[in-house]
Amino acid sequence: MAGTPSTITTHPGEQAAQDPIRLLAIRDTALSLDEVFRAVGEDAAGGTALFVGTVRNHDGGADVDALGYSCHPTAEAEMRRVAEQVVAKYPVRALAAVHRVGDLAVGDLAVVVAVSCPHRAEAFEACRMLIDDLKHDVPIWKHQKFSDGAEEWVGA
């Protein structure tokens, strides 16, 4: 009809979910890829991005034998703040993040994050923001133990 403004509607799946933060945790037990992936399962999501951080066997040219993670008591609250910022910026359908603390061996999972969104580009971008901001802002510290007996705190 002439003179009537058109209304553009999108499918509800294109909008951010009401409570998309499904799993946030800091644990002293082994992490599960399946648990995180299941947490972000969402029928309205066309793209899911998952990032896994593992303990590598070297850093800065030195061999790493093992490491330990510790965190500040506010770490989970900071993790929630980071997750809320990701949800505010992207049309996140579901988000999950878990980080390990305690002693880890080479090859162990240290952090697993995942995000599902209506489209893959948004999922990749949201997941990248989630892991980058988590590593930068959440008070979790790494204590590396090198093969030559040296030790180093990272992020402290």
Side-chain angles (χ1 to χ4, degrees), residues 2-117:
T4 304
S6 63
T7 303
I8 298 174
T9 58
T10 60
H11 189 275
E14 298 290 319
Q15 306 304 314
Q18 290 297 326
D19 187 14
I21 300 172
R22 306 279 174 83
L23 171 64
L24 294 177
I26 296 175
R27 297 186 176 150
D28 62 0
T29 57
L31 305 183
S32 166
L33 295 174
D34 289 338
E35 177 192 24
V36 174
F37 186 68
R38 279 192 310 271
V40 297
E42 176 66 44
D43 290 344
T48 299
L50 181 119
F51 173 82
V52 180
T54 56
V55 177
R56 65 180 176 263
N57 67 359
H58 67 282
D59 188 39
D63 292 334
V64 173
D65 285 342
L67 58 78
Y69 282 100
S70 59
C71 69
H72 190 272
T74 62
E76 280 194 16
E78 284 300 304
M79 189 182 280
R80 175 157 292 281
R81 186 187 60 74
V82 165
E84 288 170 350
Q85 289 178 333
V86 173
V87 167
K89 184 170 182 173
Y90 295 98
V92 173
R93 300 304 305 168
L95 177 149
V98 291
H99 202 296
R100 179 103 183 255
V101 293
D103 294 329
L104 284 76
V106 170
D108 284 349
L109 304 182
V111 61
V112 182
V113 302
V115 177
S116 62
C117 291

Side-chain angles (χ1 to χ4, degrees), residues 108-131:
D108 284 349
L109 304 182
V111 61
V112 182
V113 302
V115 177
S116 62
C117 291
H119 304 284
R120 73 178 175 274
E122 299 157 339
F124 278 125
E125 292 169 15
C127 190
R128 175 75 182 246
M129 180 180 175
L130 177 60
I131 188 60

